[in-house]
Amino acid sequence: MSGVFEVQHPLIACHLTRLRDKTTPPSEFRQLVHRLASLLAYEATKDLRSESVAVQTPLTMAEGHRLSQRIGLIPILRAGLGMVDPVLELIPTAEVWHLGLYRDEVTAQPVRYYSKLPPGRPVDVALILDPMLATGGSAVDALGTLAEWGVPHVKLLSLIGSEEGVKRVETEFPNSQIYVCQIDPDLNNRKFIVPGLGDAGDRIFNTIVHD
Ligand code: PRP
């Protein structure tokens, strides 16, 4: 089922507020990214397929389940790295395939610098991890790469999106699923999400350069 899912949950709303706060230090910012990524992944993985499996408990046999699809986590470097561990904690059997993209500061266009997807044998479900969906350029580029790889189901998990970015992804990849904690109304003249949270990569890795 394609579509945009802005996940409504009081824990998400509270953690997102701390994430936005400009006084939140990198150590707490990273923890908040973890919590929000877990909550978003819980919602985004509700339709994963599983198969029946029998399990021997200390008392008797019981019917259980195991995932029946190959799941790939696709963090977009750098900021997406902050979401890998919490999602891998939920899906320990997932494969992690990194995509390196940065946004040119002048043009705001994505620039590719790393991709090592193996030819053939695409995963069944890919979860793109990137805290920010601003113009949508990076997400569209990643979706295009995964389409070329042949992934049948792609879910984009972003902590925060912009209306413009969400619309762009929906238009260019109508079969994708977009999971966000909140969609903000604007982009400023530097293509930053407003009100947003600043630059997630810099806040995660403590690389804000002060004048
Ligand atoms: C940010 C963010 C997304 C992208 C979103 O990355 O993490 O990847 O920009 O913008 P878009 O929707 O307009 O493409 P950035 O280029 O700052 O790189 P970083 O993660 O290395 O900081």
Side-chain angles (χ1 to χ4, degrees), residues 103 132-137 160-162 164-166 187 191-193:
R103 207 172 69 155
M132 315 284 290
L133 172 58
T135 65
I160 195 158
S162 75
E164 182 181 319
V166 167
L187 293 175
K191 303 295 183 190
F192 272 67
I193 301 172

Side-chain angles (χ1 to χ4, degrees), residues 99 112 117 128 137-150 154 172-173:
L99 289 183
R112 294 185 197 178
L117 298 178
I128 298 176
S138 304
V140 162
D141 195 275
L143 280 154
T145 300
L146 295 179
E148 279 170 26
W149 193 23
V154 182
E172 298 201 29
F173 288 91

Side-chain angles (χ1 to χ4, degrees), residues 76-79 101-103 108 130 132-138 199 201:
I76 299 184
L77 306 177
R78 287 176 304 169
L101 292 173
Y102 72 87
R103 207 172 69 155
D130 191 338
M132 315 284 290
L133 172 58
T135 65
S138 304
D199 184 314

Side-chain angles (χ1 to χ4, degrees), residues 64-86:
H65 300 270
R66 70 174 164 219
L67 290 176
S68 60
Q69 295 170 300
R70 268 178 66 216
I71 313 295
L73 309 186
I74 318 290
I76 299 184
L77 306 177
R78 287 176 304 169
L81 288 175
M83 298 171 71
V84 173
D85 283 352

Side-chain angles (χ1 to χ4, degrees), residues 4-209:
V4 180
F5 306 91
E6 192 178 18
V7 182
Q8 307 293 329
H9 194 293
L11 293 177
I12 287 183
C14 294
H15 293 318
L16 187 63
T17 303
R18 289 292 305 148
L19 196 75
R20 289 183 187 279
D21 191 329
K22 72 174 198 177
T23 67
T24 298
S27 55
E28 186 187 348
F29 193 90
R30 288 191 287 270
Q31 291 177 333
L32 292 160
V33 168
H34 271 230
R35 289 176 201 146
L36 288 164
S38 296
L39 292 164
L40 210 51
Y42 174 80
E43 196 65 28
T45 51
K46 280 187 168 169
D47 59 356
L48 292 187
R49 298 206 194 117
S50 65
E51 59 194 9
S52 298
V53 62
V55 61
Q56 172 82 58
T57 78
L59 303 177
T60 183
M61 294 300 290
E63 279 295 309
H65 300 270
R66 70 174 164 219
L67 290 176
S68 60
Q69 295 170 300
R70 268 178 66 216
I71 313 295
L73 309 186
I74 318 290
I76 299 184
L77 306 177
R78 287 176 304 169
L81 288 175
M83 298 171 71
V84 173
D85 283 352
V87 183
L88 206 47
E89 187 66 32
L90 297 178
I91 317 171
T93 54
E95 301 166 27
V96 184
W97 297 99
H98 300 81
L99 289 183
L101 292 173
Y102 72 87
R103 207 172 69 155
D104 183 276
E105 283 186 13
V106 177
T107 65
Q109 295 301 310
V111 180
R112 294 185 197 178
Y113 63 90
Y114 184 86
S115 175
K116 286 274 172 81
L117 298 178
R121 294 201 73 245
V123 294
D124 300 314
V125 182
L127 274 57
I128 298 176
L129 308 177
D130 191 338
M132 315 284 290
L133 172 58
T135 65
S138 304
V140 162
D141 195 275
L143 280 154
T145 300
L146 295 179
E148 279 170 26
W149 193 23
V151 181
H153 299 291
V154 182
K155 296 161 182 277
L156 171 63
L157 277 64
S158 287
L159 303 187
I160 195 158
S162 75
E163 281 182 16
E164 182 181 319
V166 167
K167 274 202 195 97
R168 179 167 171 196
V169 173
E170 263 190 303
T171 305
E172 298 201 29
F173 288 91
N175 292 328
S176 62
Q177 294 176 310
I178 306 171
Y179 290 85
V180 286
C181 299
Q182 195 156 3
I183 298 171
D184 281 1
D186 297 314
L187 293 175
N188 68 11
N189 59 4
R190 292 176 57 214
K191 303 295 183 190
F192 272 67
I193 301 172
V194 179
L197 48 77
D199 184 314
D202 280 340
R203 297 192 67 182
I204 290 170
F205 295 110
N206 195 16
T207 54
I208 297 171
V209 179

